Amino acid sequence: MTFVDGPVTVRVPASSANLGPGFDALGLALTLHDTLTAEVVDEGLDVHVTGEGMDGVPLDETHLVVQAMHAAFDLLGGRPSGLRLTCTNTIPHGRGLGSSAAAIVGGVLLARALVVGGEALLDDAAAYQLTVDLEGHPDNVAAAFFGGLTIAWIDGAAAEVERLETDVEVTVFVPPAAVSTEKARGLLPESVPHADAARNAGRAALLVAALTGAPHRLASATEDWIHQGYRSEAMPESYKLLRQLRVEGVPAIISGAGPTVLVFARGVADRAPAGWVVHELGVDRTGAEVVRSGA
């Protein structure tokens, strides 16, 4: 196996999963990005991180981007003797905006781009499968990988995705404190009432229609009965803001496992609680991409 000369840079978008009723299925790529640069070196591992998470992430083999790169290198035929990795992060960690998915997708694509002929050895379908296997669920990685609006599912053991075009404006309200995905998932019940599941299925279908051509239906389409309410005790301030906005007819959701609140609208930034950060975003239609490649 031959590695390319010089550094490779990959740009990966943030993502919001669930989008209300589309639990573990729908994802949306957002115009907030992490930029990852890697280069094969003679020996060792050198990791530099700036921006979001710089004070809390490991700088060794356990760094999530490094783990994803190693998994991809193993499929490609072997790991290099040394790596230099630089991560410039803007996606908040632990806020429900797909930071771990971005790290995994970015790491897999970095590794592929560092190998001469890597795309032939690990095509997009295989690379996407690997990202799902590493993340454990497909919703965020599908959006981060392919961009746009994605419907993702597991068919047997195979990760599948359908990408759709959408053009919506988004405002995200990011609270100062993180909530772990594991904690948020731990609050979900083993089962939900049949009536709630039926209502959610209808709203998830309506949400796809709303995001792809009927935006006037977004307020109704984003109603959820099977996960957001159960998680409210882990993020009371987020849930309070969510309910206030929805009572006013604003299409608001909890982004992913939270605690970020996402609104399909602009002009609402003044609703942010004190200490929260607001980003007005659009839809990233490209997904993860190699923006600079070694030669």
Side-chain angles (χ1 to χ4, degrees):
M1 186 168 63
T2 304
F3 298 104
V4 302
D5 294 327
V8 168
T9 298
V10 171
R11 187 168 176 261
V12 194
S15 56
S16 180
N18 303 329
L19 308 181
F23 182 64
D24 275 3
L26 297 183
L28 187 68
L30 303 173
T31 52
L32 190 67
H33 301 86
D34 284 353
T35 302
L36 314 175
T37 299
E39 183 176 7
V40 172
V41 295
D42 290 339
E43 62 180 10
L45 175 65
D46 186 17
V47 179
H48 297 271
V49 179
T50 59
E52 294 286 343
M54 62 181 294
D55 296 324
V57 298
L59 302 179
D60 56 19
E61 302 275 345
T62 63
H63 190 285
L64 191 53
V65 174
V66 176
Q67 291 181 335
M69 292 182 73
H70 283 169
F73 281 133
D74 290 343
L75 290 182
L76 287 160
R79 302 179 185 183
S81 56
L83 280 174
R84 181 181 296 118
L85 171 67
T86 300
C87 304
T88 305
N89 298 337
T90 64
I91 304 172
H93 287 203
R95 304 303 199 281
L97 288 170
S99 62
S100 66
I104 289 169
V105 170
V108 168
L109 295 188
L110 272 178
R112 185 175 74 173
L114 283 168
V115 174
V116 175
E119 288 195 27
L121 297 169
L122 188 71
D123 64 14
D124 279 354
Y128 169 57
Q129 180 73 54
L130 177 59
T131 66
V132 174
D133 292 342
L134 293 171
E135 176 78 339
H137 48 90
D139 45 9
N140 283 105
V141 293
F145 198 116
F146 297 104
L149 171 66
T150 54
I151 307 170
W153 69 100
I154 304 296
D155 192 351
E160 301 285 354
V161 60
E162 190 68 31
R163 185 191 179 282
L164 302 172
E165 291 290 347
T166 186
D167 185 17
V168 290
E169 294 181 328
V170 169
T171 302
V172 294
F173 299 85
V174 184
V179 172
S180 74
T181 300
E182 291 75 16
K183 179 179 180 180
R185 279 192 174 269
L187 294 171
L188 299 180
E190 290 288 332
S191 60
V192 297
H194 185 276
D196 289 349
R199 287 191 291 183
N200 244 60
R203 295 305 171 92
L206 179 60
L207 181 55
V208 173
L211 288 171
T212 56
H216 61 288
R217 298 294 188 187
L218 277 168
S220 293
T222 48
E223 191 71 59
D224 163 76
W225 286 271
I226 67 170
H227 70 99
Q228 292 182 157
Y230 294 108
R231 291 167 161 168
S232 60
E233 67 180 73
M235 54 197 87
E237 290 301 311
S238 297
Y239 197 71
K240 178 182 178 182
L241 176 60
L242 173 76
R243 297 315 304 167
Q244 289 172 343
L245 291 167
R246 293 199 63 82
V247 164
E248 298 170 16
V250 178
I253 61 164
I254 298 294
S255 182
T260 291
V261 175
L262 181 148
V263 174
F264 290 107
R266 292 279 178 85
V268 292
D270 60 346
R271 302 300 302 276
W276 291 41
V277 176
V278 178
H279 298 282
E280 292 185 333
L281 305 172
V283 177
D284 179 289
R285 298 180 179 181
T286 304
E289 59 178 337
V290 177
V291 296
R292 189 174 73 249
S293 179

